[in-house]
Amino acid sequence: MAIFHENGHITAEGFFLLVTEKADDIQRLELSEHLSFCDGCLEQYLKEMEKITLLETEKSIAKRITKSIKYKTAFLAQKRFGTAVTAACIAMVLWSTGVFSWTTMLHQSDTIESLEQEIQKLSWQNQTILHDVSEKYQQIWQILDRSEEMYYGKK
């Protein structure tokens, strides 16, 4: 099998061996050396390579993967946003109830009994508010879990 014409250019068999990677080491070396200086054969080689279909993904798989990535990205963004909002709410609750103003309570209280009453009152308020915030947070996560089940099916 001749891989070169008499004029020195690569034959159809030579291109076939090169494109299908069936050329032995010496043939491959000779062919690649010729392609390094012959623009006409290089152009023909590129045309032959374009004919080869590379691995293609099915469009349905690509669409599902893209949709899944978009959903996961949105879900993670919601989780991060939810965590930030929850942290901000807890900080605002603690700030508004006076937890951070302990020292002013100490100076305002006349006796230890009044200080203990203020602390108990504050503790009860904080427990109630944190319980309410915790319930709302759980409701948000249940809604997000339901939406994930609807998207992916039952876990």
Side-chain angles (χ1 to χ4, degrees), residues 132-151:
D132 293 342
V133 169
S134 176
E135 282 182 356
K136 294 293 182 189
Y137 191 67
Q138 288 298 324
Q139 289 173 357
I140 290 170
W141 282 115
Q142 287 173 355
I143 290 169
L144 289 175
D145 283 343
R146 273 189 253 135
S147 68
E148 186 176 2
E149 285 178 7
M150 288 185 339
Y151 185 78

mmCIF file with all atom_site columns, all heavy atoms in Angstrom, residues 132-151:
data_model
loop_
_atom_site.group_PDB
_atom_site.id
_atom_site.type_symbol
_atom_site.label_atom_id
_atom_site.label_alt_id
_atom_site.label_comp_id
_atom_site.label_asym_id
_atom_site.label_entity_id
_atom_site.label_seq_id
_atom_site.pdbx_PDB_ins_code
_atom_site.Cartn_x
_atom_site.Cartn_y
_atom_site.Cartn_z
_atom_site.occupancy
_atom_site.B_iso_or_equiv
_atom_site.pdbx_formal_charge
_atom_site.auth_seq_id
_atom_site.auth_comp_id
_atom_site.auth_asym_id
_atom_site.auth_atom_id
_atom_site.pdbx_PDB_model_num
ATOM 1   N N   . ASP A 1 132 ? -40.557 30.259 67.806 1.00 0.00 ? 132 ASP A N   1
ATOM 2   C CA  . ASP A 1 132 ? -41.316 30.690 66.632 1.00 0.00 ? 132 ASP A CA  1
ATOM 3   C C   . ASP A 1 132 ? -40.429 30.745 65.387 1.00 0.00 ? 132 ASP A C   1
ATOM 4   O O   . ASP A 1 132 ? -40.827 30.286 64.305 1.00 0.00 ? 132 ASP A O   1
ATOM 5   C CB  . ASP A 1 132 ? -41.953 32.067 66.869 1.00 0.00 ? 132 ASP A CB  1
ATOM 6   C CG  . ASP A 1 132 ? -43.049 32.027 67.942 1.00 0.00 ? 132 ASP A CG  1
ATOM 7   O OD1 . ASP A 1 132 ? -43.534 30.910 68.240 1.00 0.00 ? 132 ASP A OD1 1
ATOM 8   O OD2 . ASP A 1 132 ? -43.389 33.103 68.457 1.00 0.00 ? 132 ASP A OD2 1
ATOM 9   N N   . VAL A 1 133 ? -39.240 31.293 65.539 1.00 0.00 ? 133 VAL A N   1
ATOM 10  C CA  . VAL A 1 133 ? -38.314 31.370 64.408 1.00 0.00 ? 133 VAL A CA  1
ATOM 11  C C   . VAL A 1 133 ? -37.924 29.966 63.953 1.00 0.00 ? 133 VAL A C   1
ATOM 12  O O   . VAL A 1 133 ? -37.873 29.676 62.755 1.00 0.00 ? 133 VAL A O   1
ATOM 13  C CB  . VAL A 1 133 ? -37.053 32.194 64.786 1.00 0.00 ? 133 VAL A CB  1
ATOM 14  C CG1 . VAL A 1 133 ? -35.968 32.059 63.748 1.00 0.00 ? 133 VAL A CG1 1
ATOM 15  C CG2 . VAL A 1 133 ? -37.426 33.652 64.992 1.00 0.00 ? 133 VAL A CG2 1
ATOM 16  N N   . SER A 1 134 ? -37.684 29.076 64.894 1.00 0.00 ? 134 SER A N   1
ATOM 17  C CA  . SER A 1 134 ? -37.322 27.702 64.563 1.00 0.00 ? 134 SER A CA  1
ATOM 18  C C   . SER A 1 134 ? -38.450 27.004 63.802 1.00 0.00 ? 134 SER A C   1
ATOM 19  O O   . SER A 1 134 ? -38.200 26.279 62.825 1.00 0.00 ? 134 SER A O   1
ATOM 20  C CB  . SER A 1 134 ? -36.994 26.924 65.832 1.00 0.00 ? 134 SER A CB  1
ATOM 21  O OG  . SER A 1 134 ? -36.732 25.582 65.541 1.00 0.00 ? 134 SER A OG  1
ATOM 22  N N   . GLU A 1 135 ? -39.687 27.210 64.204 1.00 0.00 ? 135 GLU A N   1
ATOM 23  C CA  . GLU A 1 135 ? -40.826 26.613 63.494 1.00 0.00 ? 135 GLU A CA  1
ATOM 24  C C   . GLU A 1 135 ? -40.913 27.139 62.065 1.00 0.00 ? 135 GLU A C   1
ATOM 25  O O   . GLU A 1 135 ? -41.135 26.374 61.126 1.00 0.00 ? 135 GLU A O   1
ATOM 26  C CB  . GLU A 1 135 ? -42.132 26.900 64.231 1.00 0.00 ? 135 GLU A CB  1
ATOM 27  C CG  . GLU A 1 135 ? -42.367 26.028 65.432 1.00 0.00 ? 135 GLU A CG  1
ATOM 28  C CD  . GLU A 1 135 ? -43.710 26.313 66.095 1.00 0.00 ? 135 GLU A CD  1
ATOM 29  O OE1 . GLU A 1 135 ? -44.425 27.242 65.652 1.00 0.00 ? 135 GLU A OE1 1
ATOM 30  O OE2 . GLU A 1 135 ? -44.041 25.588 67.030 1.00 0.00 ? 135 GLU A OE2 1
ATOM 31  N N   . LYS A 1 136 ? -40.757 28.433 61.888 1.00 0.00 ? 136 LYS A N   1
ATOM 32  C CA  . LYS A 1 136 ? -40.800 29.021 60.540 1.00 0.00 ? 136 LYS A CA  1
ATOM 33  C C   . LYS A 1 136 ? -39.666 28.468 59.679 1.00 0.00 ? 136 LYS A C   1
ATOM 34  O O   . LYS A 1 136 ? -39.858 28.165 58.509 1.00 0.00 ? 136 LYS A O   1
ATOM 35  C CB  . LYS A 1 136 ? -40.717 30.554 60.601 1.00 0.00 ? 136 LYS A CB  1
ATOM 36  C CG  . LYS A 1 136 ? -41.902 31.198 61.252 1.00 0.00 ? 136 LYS A CG  1
ATOM 37  C CD  . LYS A 1 136 ? -43.133 31.006 60.414 1.00 0.00 ? 136 LYS A CD  1
ATOM 38  C CE  . LYS A 1 136 ? -44.317 31.706 61.054 1.00 0.00 ? 136 LYS A CE  1
ATOM 39  N NZ  . LYS A 1 136 ? -45.564 31.386 60.402 1.00 0.00 ? 136 LYS A NZ  1
ATOM 40  N N   . TYR A 1 137 ? -38.502 28.333 60.267 1.00 0.00 ? 137 TYR A N   1
ATOM 41  C CA  . TYR A 1 137 ? -37.350 27.805 59.540 1.00 0.00 ? 137 TYR A CA  1
ATOM 42  C C   . TYR A 1 137 ? -37.617 26.365 59.099 1.00 0.00 ? 137 TYR A C   1
ATOM 43  O O   . TYR A 1 137 ? -37.330 25.993 57.966 1.00 0.00 ? 137 TYR A O   1
ATOM 44  C CB  . TYR A 1 137 ? -36.120 27.886 60.452 1.00 0.00 ? 137 TYR A CB  1
ATOM 45  C CG  . TYR A 1 137 ? -34.816 27.617 59.776 1.00 0.00 ? 137 TYR A CG  1
ATOM 46  C CD1 . TYR A 1 137 ? -34.312 28.492 58.826 1.00 0.00 ? 137 TYR A CD1 1
ATOM 47  C CD2 . TYR A 1 137 ? -34.059 26.486 60.088 1.00 0.00 ? 137 TYR A CD2 1
ATOM 48  C CE1 . TYR A 1 137 ? -33.106 28.257 58.205 1.00 0.00 ? 137 TYR A CE1 1
ATOM 49  C CE2 . TYR A 1 137 ? -32.858 26.235 59.471 1.00 0.00 ? 137 TYR A CE2 1
ATOM 50  C CZ  . TYR A 1 137 ? -32.380 27.132 58.531 1.00 0.00 ? 137 TYR A CZ  1
ATOM 51  O OH  . TYR A 1 137 ? -31.190 26.887 57.913 1.00 0.00 ? 137 TYR A OH  1
ATOM 52  N N   . GLN A 1 138 ? -38.200 25.559 59.998 1.00 0.00 ? 138 GLN A N   1
ATOM 53  C CA  . GLN A 1 138 ? -38.542 24.174 59.650 1.00 0.00 ? 138 GLN A CA  1
ATOM 54  C C   . GLN A 1 138 ? -39.579 24.127 58.528 1.00 0.00 ? 138 GLN A C   1
ATOM 55  O O   . GLN A 1 138 ? -39.498 23.297 57.625 1.00 0.00 ? 138 GLN A O   1
ATOM 56  C CB  . GLN A 1 138 ? -39.079 23.423 60.879 1.00 0.00 ? 138 GLN A CB  1
ATOM 57  C CG  . GLN A 1 138 ? -38.018 23.098 61.903 1.00 0.00 ? 138 GLN A CG  1
ATOM 58  C CD  . GLN A 1 138 ? -36.943 22.190 61.347 1.00 0.00 ? 138 GLN A CD  1
ATOM 59  O OE1 . GLN A 1 138 ? -37.208 21.308 60.549 1.00 0.00 ? 138 GLN A OE1 1
ATOM 60  N NE2 . GLN A 1 138 ? -35.702 22.417 61.766 1.00 0.00 ? 138 GLN A NE2 1
ATOM 61  N N   . GLN A 1 139 ? -40.538 25.032 58.545 1.00 0.00 ? 139 GLN A N   1
ATOM 62  C CA  . GLN A 1 139 ? -41.548 25.089 57.482 1.00 0.00 ? 139 GLN A CA  1
ATOM 63  C C   . GLN A 1 139 ? -40.895 25.402 56.133 1.00 0.00 ? 139 GLN A C   1
ATOM 64  O O   . GLN A 1 139 ? -41.237 24.803 55.114 1.00 0.00 ? 139 GLN A O   1
ATOM 65  C CB  . GLN A 1 139 ? -42.613 26.142 57.804 1.00 0.00 ? 139 GLN A CB  1
ATOM 66  C CG  . GLN A 1 139 ? -43.520 25.756 58.940 1.00 0.00 ? 139 GLN A CG  1
ATOM 67  C CD  . GLN A 1 139 ? -44.454 26.901 59.337 1.00 0.00 ? 139 GLN A CD  1
ATOM 68  O OE1 . GLN A 1 139 ? -44.373 27.992 58.797 1.00 0.00 ? 139 GLN A OE1 1
ATOM 69  N NE2 . GLN A 1 139 ? -45.325 26.627 60.291 1.00 0.00 ? 139 GLN A NE2 1
ATOM 70  N N   . ILE A 1 140 ? -39.954 26.320 56.141 1.00 0.00 ? 140 ILE A N   1
ATOM 71  C CA  . ILE A 1 140 ? -39.250 26.664 54.903 1.00 0.00 ? 140 ILE A CA  1
ATOM 72  C C   . ILE A 1 140 ? -38.512 25.442 54.367 1.00 0.00 ? 140 ILE A C   1
ATOM 73  O O   . ILE A 1 140 ? -38.581 25.135 53.173 1.00 0.00 ? 140 ILE A O   1
ATOM 74  C CB  . ILE A 1 140 ? -38.264 27.837 55.134 1.00 0.00 ? 140 ILE A CB  1
ATOM 75  C CG1 . ILE A 1 140 ? -39.038 29.130 55.386 1.00 0.00 ? 140 ILE A CG1 1
ATOM 76  C CG2 . ILE A 1 140 ? -37.320 27.994 53.957 1.00 0.00 ? 140 ILE A CG2 1
ATOM 77  C CD1 . ILE A 1 140 ? -38.174 30.278 55.860 1.00 0.00 ? 140 ILE A CD1 1
ATOM 78  N N   . TRP A 1 141 ? -37.812 24.698 55.232 1.00 0.00 ? 141 TRP A N   1
ATOM 79  C CA  . TRP A 1 141 ? -37.067 23.524 54.781 1.00 0.00 ? 141 TRP A CA  1
ATOM 80  C C   . TRP A 1 141 ? -37.995 22.427 54.282 1.00 0.00 ? 141 TRP A C   1
ATOM 81  O O   . TRP A 1 141 ? -37.677 21.712 53.342 1.00 0.00 ? 141 TRP A O   1
ATOM 82  C CB  . TRP A 1 141 ? -36.155 22.991 55.877 1.00 0.00 ? 141 TRP A CB  1
ATOM 83  C CG  . TRP A 1 141 ? -34.933 23.833 55.995 1.00 0.00 ? 141 TRP A CG  1
ATOM 84  C CD1 . TRP A 1 141 ? -34.556 24.590 57.048 1.00 0.00 ? 141 TRP A CD1 1
ATOM 85  C CD2 . TRP A 1 141 ? -33.940 24.061 54.990 1.00 0.00 ? 141 TRP A CD2 1
ATOM 86  N NE1 . TRP A 1 141 ? -33.402 25.266 56.770 1.00 0.00 ? 141 TRP A NE1 1
ATOM 87  C CE2 . TRP A 1 141 ? -33.001 24.953 55.514 1.00 0.00 ? 141 TRP A CE2 1
ATOM 88  C CE3 . TRP A 1 141 ? -33.756 23.595 53.699 1.00 0.00 ? 141 TRP A CE3 1
ATOM 89  C CZ2 . TRP A 1 141 ? -31.903 25.387 54.797 1.00 0.00 ? 141 TRP A CZ2 1
ATOM 90  C CZ3 . TRP A 1 141 ? -32.664 24.027 52.988 1.00 0.00 ? 141 TRP A CZ3 1
ATOM 91  C CH2 . TRP A 1 141 ? -31.748 24.907 53.535 1.00 0.00 ? 141 TRP A CH2 1
ATOM 92  N N   . GLN A 1 142 ? -39.161 22.277 54.917 1.00 0.00 ? 142 GLN A N   1
ATOM 93  C CA  . GLN A 1 142 ? -40.116 21.277 54.436 1.00 0.00 ? 142 GLN A CA  1
ATOM 94  C C   . GLN A 1 142 ? -40.617 21.637 53.039 1.00 0.00 ? 142 GLN A C   1
ATOM 95  O O   . GLN A 1 142 ? -40.763 20.769 52.180 1.00 0.00 ? 142 GLN A O   1
ATOM 96  C CB  . GLN A 1 142 ? -41.289 21.158 55.406 1.00 0.00 ? 142 GLN A CB  1
ATOM 97  C CG  . GLN A 1 142 ? -40.921 20.459 56.702 1.00 0.00 ? 142 GLN A CG  1
ATOM 98  C CD  . GLN A 1 142 ? -42.047 20.505 57.720 1.00 0.00 ? 142 GLN A CD  1
ATOM 99  O OE1 . GLN A 1 142 ? -43.072 21.126 57.496 1.00 0.00 ? 142 GLN A OE1 1
ATOM 100 N NE2 . GLN A 1 142 ? -41.842 19.832 58.847 1.00 0.00 ? 142 GLN A NE2 1
ATOM 101 N N   . ILE A 1 143 ? -40.858 22.912 52.809 1.00 0.00 ? 143 ILE A N   1
ATOM 102 C CA  . ILE A 1 143 ? -41.299 23.350 51.476 1.00 0.00 ? 143 ILE A CA  1
ATOM 103 C C   . ILE A 1 143 ? -40.204 23.083 50.447 1.00 0.00 ? 143 ILE A C   1
ATOM 104 O O   . ILE A 1 143 ? -40.472 22.580 49.348 1.00 0.00 ? 143 ILE A O   1
ATOM 105 C CB  . ILE A 1 143 ? -41.684 24.851 51.500 1.00 0.00 ? 143 ILE A CB  1
ATOM 106 C CG1 . ILE A 1 143 ? -42.968 25.045 52.301 1.00 0.00 ? 143 ILE A CG1 1
ATOM 107 C CG2 . ILE A 1 143 ? -41.842 25.393 50.088 1.00 0.00 ? 143 ILE A CG2 1
ATOM 108 C CD1 . ILE A 1 143 ? -43.287 26.485 52.614 1.00 0.00 ? 143 ILE A CD1 1
ATOM 109 N N   . LEU A 1 144 ? -38.957 23.394 50.801 1.00 0.00 ? 144 LEU A N   1
ATOM 110 C CA  . LEU A 1 144 ? -37.848 23.144 49.885 1.00 0.00 ? 144 LEU A CA  1
ATOM 111 C C   . LEU A 1 144 ? -37.663 21.654 49.620 1.00 0.00 ? 144 LEU A C   1
ATOM 112 O O   . LEU A 1 144 ? -37.402 21.238 48.496 1.00 0.00 ? 144 LEU A O   1
ATOM 113 C CB  . LEU A 1 144 ? -36.556 23.753 50.427 1.00 0.00 ? 144 LEU A CB  1
ATOM 114 C CG  . LEU A 1 144 ? -36.472 25.273 50.403 1.00 0.00 ? 144 LEU A CG  1
ATOM 115 C CD1 . LEU A 1 144 ? -35.199 25.736 51.086 1.00 0.00 ? 144 LEU A CD1 1
ATOM 116 C CD2 . LEU A 1 144 ? -36.536 25.794 48.991 1.00 0.00 ? 144 LEU A CD2 1
ATOM 117 N N   . ASP A 1 145 ? -37.821 20.821 50.660 1.00 0.00 ? 145 ASP A N   1
ATOM 118 C CA  . ASP A 1 145 ? -37.702 19.376 50.467 1.00 0.00 ? 145 ASP A CA  1
ATOM 119 C C   . ASP A 1 145 ? -38.809 18.845 49.568 1.00 0.00 ? 145 ASP A C   1
ATOM 120 O O   . ASP A 1 145 ? -38.578 17.980 48.732 1.00 0.00 ? 145 ASP A O   1
ATOM 121 C CB  . ASP A 1 145 ? -37.739 18.644 51.811 1.00 0.00 ? 145 ASP A CB  1
ATOM 122 C CG  . ASP A 1 145 ? -36.419 18.748 52.562 1.00 0.00 ? 145 ASP A CG  1
ATOM 123 O OD1 . ASP A 1 145 ? -35.405 19.090 51.928 1.00 0.00 ? 145 ASP A OD1 1
ATOM 124 O OD2 . ASP A 1 145 ? -36.416 18.500 53.780 1.00 0.00 ? 145 ASP A OD2 1
ATOM 125 N N   . ARG A 1 146 ? -40.032 19.373 49.734 1.00 0.00 ? 146 ARG A N   1
ATOM 126 C CA  . ARG A 1 146 ? -41.139 18.942 48.879 1.00 0.00 ? 146 ARG A CA  1
ATOM 127 C C   . ARG A 1 146 ? -40.877 19.325 47.426 1.00 0.00 ? 146 ARG A C   1
ATOM 128 O O   . ARG A 1 146 ? -41.144 18.560 46.517 1.00 0.00 ? 146 ARG A O   1
ATOM 129 C CB  . ARG A 1 146 ? -42.461 19.543 49.354 1.00 0.00 ? 146 ARG A CB  1
ATOM 130 C CG  . ARG A 1 146 ? -43.113 18.675 50.425 1.00 0.00 ? 146 ARG A CG  1
ATOM 131 C CD  . ARG A 1 146 ? -44.508 19.165 50.712 1.00 0.00 ? 146 ARG A CD  1
ATOM 132 N NE  . ARG A 1 146 ? -44.410 19.797 52.029 1.00 0.00 ? 146 ARG A NE  1
ATOM 133 C CZ  . ARG A 1 146 ? -44.925 20.955 52.375 1.00 0.00 ? 146 ARG A CZ  1
ATOM 134 N NH1 . ARG A 1 146 ? -45.633 21.633 51.517 1.00 0.00 ? 146 ARG A NH1 1
ATOM 135 N NH2 . ARG A 1 146 ? -44.754 21.446 53.563 1.00 0.00 ? 146 ARG A NH2 1
ATOM 136 N N   . SER A 1 147 ? -40.338 20.524 47.203 1.00 0.00 ? 147 SER A N   1
ATOM 137 C CA  . SER A 1 147 ? -40.068 20.939 45.834 1.00 0.00 ? 147 SER A CA  1
ATOM 138 C C   . SER A 1 147 ? -38.961 20.086 45.225 1.00 0.00 ? 147 SER A C   1
ATOM 139 O O   . SER A 1 147 ? -38.979 19.774 44.043 1.00 0.00 ? 147 SER A O   1
ATOM 140 C CB  . SER A 1 147 ? -39.696 22.416 45.767 1.00 0.00 ? 147 SER A CB  1
ATOM 141 O OG  . SER A 1 147 ? -38.456 22.657 46.383 1.00 0.00 ? 147 SER A OG  1
ATOM 142 N N   . GLU A 1 148 ? -37.991 19.648 46.041 1.00 0.00 ? 148 GLU A N   1
ATOM 143 C CA  . GLU A 1 148 ? -36.937 18.767 45.529 1.00 0.00 ? 148 GLU A CA  1
ATOM 144 C C   . GLU A 1 148 ? -37.521 17.396 45.201 1.00 0.00 ? 148 GLU A C   1
ATOM 145 O O   . GLU A 1 148 ? -37.161 16.796 44.196 1.00 0.00 ? 148 GLU A O   1
ATOM 146 C CB  . GLU A 1 148 ? -35.826 18.631 46.570 1.00 0.00 ? 148 GLU A CB  1
ATOM 147 C CG  . GLU A 1 148 ? -34.640 17.854 46.054 1.00 0.00 ? 148 GLU A CG  1
ATOM 148 C CD  . GLU A 1 148 ? -33.491 17.805 47.052 1.00 0.00 ? 148 GLU A CD  1
ATOM 149 O OE1 . GLU A 1 148 ? -33.615 18.330 48.161 1.00 0.00 ? 148 GLU A OE1 1
ATOM 150 O OE2 . GLU A 1 148 ? -32.470 17.211 46.690 1.00 0.00 ? 148 GLU A OE2 1
ATOM 151 N N   . GLU A 1 149 ? -38.452 16.876 46.026 1.00 0.00 ? 149 GLU A N   1
ATOM 152 C CA  . GLU A 1 149 ? -39.087 15.595 45.739 1.00 0.00 ? 149 GLU A CA  1
ATOM 153 C C   . GLU A 1 149 ? -39.895 15.671 44.455 1.00 0.00 ? 149 GLU A C   1
ATOM 154 O O   . GLU A 1 149 ? -39.905 14.737 43.664 1.00 0.00 ? 149 GLU A O   1
ATOM 155 C CB  . GLU A 1 149 ? -39.994 15.180 46.897 1.00 0.00 ? 149 GLU A CB  1
ATOM 156 C CG  . GLU A 1 149 ? -39.250 14.672 48.104 1.00 0.00 ? 149 GLU A CG  1
ATOM 157 C CD  . GLU A 1 149 ? -40.186 14.327 49.251 1.00 0.00 ? 149 GLU A CD  1
ATOM 158 O OE1 . GLU A 1 149 ? -41.427 14.357 49.049 1.00 0.00 ? 149 GLU A OE1 1
ATOM 159 O OE2 . GLU A 1 149 ? -39.688 14.037 50.341 1.00 0.00 ? 149 GLU A OE2 1
ATOM 160 N N   . MET A 1 150 ? -40.568 16.790 44.242 1.00 0.00 ? 150 MET A N   1
ATOM 161 C CA  . MET A 1 150 ? -41.356 16.937 43.020 1.00 0.00 ? 150 MET A CA  1
ATOM 162 C C   . MET A 1 150 ? -40.436 16.930 41.805 1.00 0.00 ? 150 MET A C   1
ATOM 163 O O   . MET A 1 150 ? -40.780 16.406 40.764 1.00 0.00 ? 150 MET A O   1
ATOM 164 C CB  . MET A 1 150 ? -42.175 18.234 43.046 1.00 0.00 ? 150 MET A CB  1
ATOM 165 C CG  . MET A 1 150 ? -43.316 18.171 44.019 1.00 0.00 ? 150 MET A CG  1
ATOM 166 S SD  . MET A 1 150 ? -44.428 19.604 44.040 1.00 0.00 ? 150 MET A SD  1
ATOM 167 C CE  . MET A 1 150 ? -43.560 20.922 43.358 1.00 0.00 ? 150 MET A CE  1
ATOM 168 N N   . TYR A 1 151 ? -39.262 17.490 41.947 1.00 0.00 ? 151 TYR A N   1
ATOM 169 C CA  . TYR A 1 151 ? -38.341 17.585 40.811 1.00 0.00 ? 151 TYR A CA  1
ATOM 170 C C   . TYR A 1 151 ? -37.666 16.246 40.538 1.00 0.00 ? 151 TYR A C   1
ATOM 171 O O   . TYR A 1 151 ? -37.595 15.802 39.408 1.00 0.00 ? 151 TYR A O   1
ATOM 172 C CB  . TYR A 1 151 ? -37.294 18.674 41.074 1.00 0.00 ? 151 TYR A CB  1
ATOM 173 C CG  . TYR A 1 151 ? -36.393 18.900 39.908 1.00 0.00 ? 151 TYR A CG  1
ATOM 174 C CD1 . TYR A 1 151 ? -36.817 19.636 38.827 1.00 0.00 ? 151 TYR A CD1 1
ATOM 175 C CD2 . TYR A 1 151 ? -35.109 18.353 39.870 1.00 0.00 ? 151 TYR A CD2 1
ATOM 176 C CE1 . TYR A 1 151 ? -35.995 19.853 37.736 1.00 0.00 ? 151 TYR A CE1 1
ATOM 177 C CE2 . TYR A 1 151 ? -34.288 18.554 38.791 1.00 0.00 ? 151 TYR A CE2 1
ATOM 178 C CZ  . TYR A 1 151 ? -34.738 19.319 37.730 1.00 0.00 ? 151 TYR A CZ  1
ATOM 179 O OH  . TYR A 1 151 ? -33.911 19.513 36.665 1.00 0.00 ? 151 TYR A OH  1
#
